[in-house]
Coordinates of all heavy atoms in Angstrom, one line a residue:
S59 N 80.0 82.8 126.5 CA 80.1 82.7 128.0 C 80.3 84.1 128.6 O 80.2 84.2 129.8 CB 81.3 81.8 128.3 OG 82.5 82.4 127.9
E192 N 96.6 97.7 99.7 CA 96.2 98.4 98.5 C 94.7 98.0 98.2 O 94.4 96.9 98.1 CB 97.1 97.9 97.3 CG 98.6 97.9 97.5 CD 99.1 96.6 98.1 OE1 98.3 95.7 98.4 OE2 100.3 96.5 98.2
V193 N 93.9 99.1 98.0 CA 92.5 98.9 97.5 C 92.5 99.1 96.0 O 92.8 100.1 95.5 CB 91.6 99.9 98.2 CG1 90.2 99.7 97.8 CG2 91.7 99.7 99.8
A195 N 91.7 99.6 92.2 CA 90.8 100.6 91.5 C 90.0 99.9 90.4 O 90.2 100.0 89.2 CB 91.7 101.7 90.8
R237 N 72.5 90.7 95.5 CA 71.1 90.2 95.6 C 70.8 89.9 97.0 O 71.4 89.1 97.7 CB 70.9 89.0 94.7 CG 69.5 88.5 94.8 CD 69.2 87.5 93.8 NE 67.8 87.0 93.9 CZ 66.7 87.7 93.6 NH1 66.9 88.8 93.0 NH2 65.5 87.2 93.7
S252 N 84.1 82.6 107.4 CA 83.9 81.2 107.0 C 85.2 80.5 106.9 O 86.2 81.1 106.8 CB 83.0 81.1 105.7 OG 83.8 81.6 104.6
Y255 N 87.7 76.7 102.5 CA 88.8 76.0 101.8 C 88.5 74.5 101.5 O 88.0 73.8 102.4 CB 90.1 76.2 102.5 CG 90.3 77.7 102.8 CD1 90.4 78.2 104.1 CD2 90.5 78.6 101.8 CE1 90.6 79.5 104.4 CE2 90.7 80.0 102.1 CZ 90.8 80.4 103.4 OH 91.0 81.7 103.6
G285 N 93.3 78.6 99.4 CA 93.4 80.0 99.5 C 94.9 80.5 99.4 O 95.1 81.7 99.4
L326 N 108.9 61.5 98.1 CA 109.1 62.9 97.7 C 109.0 63.8 99.0 O 108.2 63.6 99.9 CB 108.1 63.4 96.7 CG 108.0 62.5 95.4 CD1 106.9 63.0 94.5 CD2 109.3 62.5 94.7
I338 N 101.5 64.8 89.5 CA 102.7 64.1 89.5 C 102.4 62.7 88.8 O 101.5 62.1 89.2 CB 103.3 63.8 90.9 CG1 103.6 65.1 91.6 CG2 104.6 63.0 90.8 CD1 104.0 65.0 93.0
F352 N 96.3 44.7 93.5 CA 97.2 45.4 94.4 C 96.5 46.8 94.7 O 95.9 47.4 93.8 CB 98.6 45.6 94.0 CG 98.8 46.4 92.7 CD1 99.1 47.7 92.7 CD2 98.6 45.7 91.4 CE1 99.2 48.5 91.5 CE2 98.8 46.5 90.3 CZ 99.1 47.8 90.3
G354 N 96.3 50.5 97.4 CA 97.1 51.3 98.4 C 96.7 52.8 98.3 O 96.1 53.2 97.3
I368 N 97.6 64.8 108.2 CA 98.0 63.8 107.2 C 96.8 63.6 106.2 O 95.7 63.4 106.7 CB 98.3 62.5 107.9 CG1 99.5 62.7 108.8 CG2 98.6 61.4 106.9 CD1 99.9 61.4 109.6
T423 N 93.6 47.3 62.0 CA 93.5 48.6 61.2 C 94.8 49.0 60.6 O 94.9 49.9 59.8 CB 93.0 49.7 62.1 OG1 93.9 49.9 63.2 CG2 91.6 49.4 62.7
G433 N 86.0 54.4 62.3 CA 84.9 55.3 61.8 C 83.6 54.6 61.5 O 82.7 55.2 61.0
I447 N 104.7 37.8 77.8 CA 103.5 37.1 77.2 C 103.1 37.8 75.9 O 103.4 39.0 75.7 CB 102.4 37.0 78.2 CG1 101.9 38.4 78.7 CG2 102.7 36.2 79.4 CD1 100.7 38.4 79.6
N479 N 64.1 80.1 88.4 CA 65.1 79.1 88.5 C 65.2 78.3 87.3 O 64.1 77.8 86.8 CB 64.8 78.3 89.8 CG 65.8 77.1 89.8 OD1 65.5 76.0 89.6 ND2 67.1 77.4 90.2
T500 N 77.4 87.0 77.5 CA 77.8 87.4 78.9 C 77.7 86.1 79.8 O 76.6 85.6 80.0 CB 76.9 88.5 79.4 OG1 77.0 89.6 78.6 CG2 77.2 88.8 80.8

Side-chain angles (χ1 to χ4, degrees):
S59 63
E192 312 92 353
V193 178
R237 176 169 180 76
S252 66
Y255 307 117
L326 306 175
I338 299 169
F352 61 96
I368 299 178
T423 60
I447 58 176
N479 174 253
T500 300

